[in-house]
Amino acid sequence: LALLAFSLDSSAWKRCGGVDELESCTTSLSNEVKTVGYAPWLSEFNECDWYGVTCVVGVVWGLDLANNSVIGEIVPEIVGLRSNLVFLDLSANCLYGTLPPEMGDLSSLELLKLSSNSFSGTFPE
């Protein structure tokens, strides 16, 4: 996830993108099964505590960074989450370019929201 944050310039995100935003983010909500993060990305917190990250039993299960001023291209390394990622919402941001072929390898993905961006091409198989 850190690579995603660096490649998409998390410091410019509207909500909880940089470590200097700790005071504007609330404490994470968690229980033994599911954690929904609210801490700044790249902070000293575990990535399951980062804003928009949902974990189940400590494993990244979903990313919701919709309408968050995320700018750039999606990096192929996102497939490092392929065996676990169930939902990905990057809608209403400033993403562009073609989707990396590796996106087709997200075998557990059940919900994908990429609308209101500037992608070109087709979704990889």
Side-chain angles (χ1 to χ4, degrees):
L1 289 180
L3 182 58
L4 184 66
F6 282 119
S7 68
L8 297 176
D9 189 14
S10 64
S11 64
W13 295 355
K14 230 189 311 191
R15 290 181 295 279
C16 303
V19 293
D20 57 334
E21 296 183 28
L22 183 57
E23 293 177 15
S24 68
C25 298
T26 61
T27 309
S28 69
L29 305 172
S30 64
N31 61 38
E32 291 181 16
V33 177
K34 185 176 179 181
T35 302
V36 180
Y38 290 93
W41 278 56
L42 303 177
S43 65
E44 70 275 7
F45 295 95
N46 180 290
E47 64 187 13
C48 289
D49 293 326
W50 295 352
Y51 173 83
V53 176
T54 299
C55 290
V56 175
V57 193
V59 176
V60 175
W61 187 72
L63 293 176
D64 183 355
L65 296 174
N67 193 24
N68 203 26
S69 299
V70 179
I71 300 170
E73 296 184 65
I74 296 180
V75 294
E77 288 77 10
I78 197 167
V79 299
L81 304 169
R82 74 177 163 265
S83 60
N84 305 313
L85 198 63
V86 175
F87 74 87
L88 176 61
D89 188 349
L90 297 173
S91 61
N93 282 295
C94 299
L95 297 170
Y96 55 85
T98 58
L99 296 173
E102 293 83 358
M103 289 280 293
D105 295 334
L106 296 172
S107 58
S108 297
L109 200 62
E110 294 178 14
L111 178 66
L112 176 65
K113 292 184 177 184
L114 299 174
S115 62
S116 299
N117 284 291
S118 297
F119 291 115
S120 58
T122 58
F123 189 81
E125 293 188 37

